[in-house]
Amino acid sequence: QVQLVESGGGLVQAGGSLRLSCAASGRTLSWFAMAWFRQAPGKEREFIVGISTSGLTRYADSVKGRFTITRDNEQNTVNLQMNTLGPEDTAVYYCAGGRFFSVDSRSYDYWGQGTQVTVSS
């Protein structure tokens, strides 16, 4: 069993940055494809970025050029650096892990509890 725990969310002004971290226990994250999703109030959960076991990444157009996903295998974490944040980025952010990389949330077996990111204008 894998437990995922996100951290690093909070309140930031528009134009600012945050770094989210997803820590794992129970298994080594390098074995899994990992992704970050987010869900804003009244909206469906959406894929924003993913990284395969080989390190290939894919970004949603809405975050491309502003967000960066990285793995830290020593710390057994997956991190999300978010720059140039805007109010439209306000959401609960979730990390997810699965055997295969996908933009479909149904492909992921393990989920964190989510961390709130709020961007004020």
Side-chain angles (χ1 to χ4, degrees):
Q1 190 68 17
V2 178
Q3 290 80 42
L4 302 177
V5 179
E6 303 96 338
S7 61
L11 174 64
V12 64
Q13 290 187 332
S17 298
L18 282 175
R19 182 178 174 86
L20 304 184
S21 184
C22 176
S25 61
R27 298 286 286 276
T28 301
L29 278 186
S30 61
W31 295 353
F32 297 96
M34 299 296 297
W36 288 91
F37 290 77
R38 68 185 180 187
Q39 188 166 17
K43 295 187 177 181
E44 294 185 355
R45 189 170 298 189
E46 65 170 341
F47 169 87
I48 54 172
V49 60
I51 185 167
S52 70
T53 53
S54 62
L56 295 176
T57 58
R58 179 171 176 178
Y59 294 85
D61 289 343
S62 59
V63 305
K64 198 174 295 182
R66 301 188 298 124
F67 290 12
T68 304
I69 188 171
T70 56
R71 291 183 182 270
D72 185 334
N73 291 333
E74 288 190 1
Q75 297 295 323
N76 204 29
T77 60
V78 174
N79 304 305
L80 182 63
Q81 179 66 40
M82 307 187 296
N83 299 327
T84 320
L85 287 162
E88 67 277 10
D89 297 312
T90 295
V92 178
Y93 284 69
Y94 300 88
C95 71
R99 292 183 60 195
F100 305 106
F101 173 79
S102 174
V103 301
D104 188 339
S105 62
R106 294 171 296 181
S107 297
Y108 293 90
D109 301 310
Y110 306 106
W111 290 84
Q113 82 288 352
T115 186
Q116 176 70 46
V117 171
T118 303
V119 185
S120 63
S121 58

